[in-house]
């Protein structure tokens, strides 16, 4: 079987930076061998200068929110006023326009070193709630968009049934709902997986899925050993409404209905009690932090340190895409905690990179990804170490440089499944990604 050899000037191998590493990639797109101490590039090797890390995992995305960037920065407000603007964009999307937008958004992610995305997808039907001829037309558009942008996708098809604790959906939410969890399960079961596509499930939130239907979604995921994600305690208002409706916190409600567990990830997990943290950690439920969105929407700073100590693996997501930069998400998680506690050093750079790579991929149902090891998918990104942001530190401090100094603009090369997606800072199949984004977003305003 023919091999492609990549010579990595510096490689992050989980705990340390190794200079002169040769990576052999087999024809099936997986890493066949990792050889350290290779001082010069072998004949015919693809040379990658800088620091090569495993591909980043964006564990929480709403692709259509990218159209809100800038627009929602005018004036003031809260999460709830932001949501009203979001609804207006959601109403304008069709399968074709969603494909065009998502293709550009996923290309932007690839340029930032992201090789897999978890798309928390609830924009299912036509405006007014009528089903398309293909009930999964919107989800299929996202899958096709990720394929053209060259990244892997876990489509987290989302149950969204209520405007709040059993209340009927509001007008803007009609295209989100399948009516019942059983009808949601019937629709999502028609979606197909491939090497680059995983199908997972999501509960939008405890306010959007009635308590007596939570277990239906959880069972669907359990039967397929699929990842299950849920927005959890992002807002104090949600907690208060849940206490009023059920006499318990959202976390306790999810636990009572079998939602928590090692294949489940709570997104945000911001406003939690000590009991909530113990329930999440004790069940090995993951936590996906989205710091740039959480600060953009003034949501608050979640107890990430306490969650991880309790047993909850941490992953990262760009969520509303106020910024698409997983290095910034990793940096922000640490810096937020510094501001909250007025102490430094809650995570090492290596731990933050693991949240952005291996633990993120595991949250998306790809536990073999996110490492530079034989047998793993050949998904990796190279960060320059000689830009105005990254120049200066010793190469052995590459992890610290990547997390605390680099940005998405410092990603130079990206390989997914052994195929080059980004070369010299340009996307191979979406060469003018900025123009593609501008055109797709302008079409939604016309």
């Amino acid at each position: 079987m023919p091999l492609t050899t990549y010579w990595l000037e510096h490689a992050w191998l989980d705990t340390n930076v190794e200079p002169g590493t040769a990576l052999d990639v087999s024809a099936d797109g997986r890493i066949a061998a990792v050889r350290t101490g290779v001082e010069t590039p072998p004949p015919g090797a693809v040379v990658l200068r800088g620091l090569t890390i495993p591909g980043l995992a964006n564990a929480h995305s709403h692709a259509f929110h990218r159209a809100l960037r800038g627009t929602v920065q005018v004036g003031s407000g809260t999460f709830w006023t932001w949501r009203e603007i979001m609804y207006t964009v959601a109403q304008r999307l069709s399968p074709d326009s969603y494909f065009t937008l998502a293709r550009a958004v996923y290309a932007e992610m690839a340029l930032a070193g992201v090789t897999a995305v978890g798309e928390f997808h609830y924009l299912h039907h036509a405006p007014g709630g009528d089903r398309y001829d293909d009930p999964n037309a919107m989800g299929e558009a996202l899958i096709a968009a990720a394929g053209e942008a060259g990244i892997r996708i876990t489509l987290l098809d989302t149950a969204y049934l209520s405007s709040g604790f059993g209340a009927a959906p509001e007008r803007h939410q009609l295209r989100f709902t399948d009516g019942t969890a059983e009808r949601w399960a019937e629709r999502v079961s028609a979606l197909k997986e491939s090497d680059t596509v995983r199908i997972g499930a999501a509960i939008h939130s405890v306010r959007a899925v009635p308590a007596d239907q939570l277990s239906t979604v959880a069972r669907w995921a359990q039967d397929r050993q699929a990842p299950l994600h849920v927005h959890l305690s992002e807002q104090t208002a949600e907690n208060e409404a849940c206490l009023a409706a059920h006499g318990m916190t959202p976390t306790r409600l999810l636990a009572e209905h079998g939602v928590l567990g090692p294949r489940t990830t709570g997104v945000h997990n911001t406003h939690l009690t000590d009991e909530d943290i113990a329930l999440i950690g004790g069940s090995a439920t993951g936590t996906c932090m989205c710091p740039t969105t959480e600060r953009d929407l003034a949501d608050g700073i979640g107890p990430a340190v306490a969650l991880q100590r309790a047993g909850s693996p941490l992953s990262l997501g760009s969520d509303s895409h106020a910024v698409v930069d997983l290095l910034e998400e990793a940096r922000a998680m640490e810096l937020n905690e510094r501001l909250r506690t007025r102490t430094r050093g809650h995570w090492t750079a290596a731990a933050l990179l693991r949240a952005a790579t291996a633990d993120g991929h595991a949250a998306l149902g790809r536990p073999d990804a996110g490492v530079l090891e034989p047998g793993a998918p050949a998904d990796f990104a190279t960060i320059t170490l000689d830009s105005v942001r990254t120049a200066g530190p010793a190469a052995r401090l590459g992890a610290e440089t990547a997390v605390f100094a680099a940005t998405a603009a410092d990603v130079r090369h990206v390989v997914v499944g052994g195929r080059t997606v980004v070369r010299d800072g340009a996307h191979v199949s979406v060469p003018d990604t900025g123009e593609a984004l501008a055109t797709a977003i302008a079409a939604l305003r016309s």
Side-chain angles (χ1 to χ4, degrees), residues 55-200:
L56 300 169
N58 189 349
H60 189 67
S61 162
H62 300 291
F64 76 92
H65 289 190
R66 176 61 178 82
L68 300 172
R69 188 183 295 178
T71 303
V72 291
Q73 307 305 331
V74 178
S76 60
T78 66
F79 167 87
W80 306 103
T81 54
W82 169 89
R83 189 176 71 158
E84 293 304 311
I85 301 171
M86 178 269 287
Y87 284 156
T88 65
V89 173
Q91 289 300 102
R92 296 173 183 160
L93 285 160
S94 67
D96 287 344
S97 61
Y98 206 7
F99 165 80
T100 301
L101 175 61
R103 176 177 178 265
V105 173
Y106 295 152
E108 181 182 5
M109 290 184 197
L111 288 167
V114 171
T115 59
V117 61
E119 184 62 37
F120 199 104
H121 166 56
Y122 55 85
L123 191 54
H124 301 307
H125 306 301
D130 291 338
R131 289 193 170 203
Y132 292 106
D133 291 340
D134 174 1
N136 286 307
M138 295 293 271
E140 295 288 2
L142 292 166
I143 290 170
E148 290 214 4
I151 68 173
R152 305 180 191 273
I153 185 170
T154 296
L155 188 72
L156 297 160
D157 196 288
T158 305
Y160 194 132
L161 309 174
S162 168
S163 64
F165 297 97
E170 297 174 358
R171 177 174 58 89
H172 289 309
Q173 298 163 337
L174 291 174
R175 64 183 314 188
F176 306 164
T177 182
D178 290 294
T180 67
E182 288 76 13
R183 291 196 71 200
W184 166 85
E186 179 183 5
R187 178 183 55 75
V188 72
S189 294
L191 290 163
K192 304 299 182 186
E193 293 192 335
S194 69
D195 182 55
T196 58
V197 177
R198 284 228 63 191
I199 305 300

Side-chain angles (χ1 to χ4, degrees), residues 355-369:
T357 55
D359 289 344
H361 289 286
L364 298 181
R366 297 184 181 278
D368 59 339

Side-chain angles (χ1 to χ4, degrees), residues 245-304:
H246 298 289
M248 63 184 75
T249 66
T251 299
R252 169 57 73 181
L253 186 67
L254 294 176
E256 293 285 332
H257 290 274
V259 175
L260 303 185
R263 284 178 299 94
T264 300
T265 297
V267 181
H268 304 301
N269 292 1
T270 306
H271 303 285
L272 302 176
T273 66
D274 290 344
E275 181 193 34
D276 292 339
I277 292 170
L279 284 169
I280 292 167
S283 61
T285 298
T287 294
C288 180
M289 304 298 290
C290 305
T292 66
T293 291
E294 289 150 5
R295 72 191 184 198
D296 182 58
L297 297 180
D299 286 344
I301 300 171

Side-chain angles (χ1 to χ4, degrees), residues 16-17 215 293 295 316 341:
N16 60 294
V17 174
S215 61
T293 291
R295 72 191 184 198
L316 296 164
T341 63

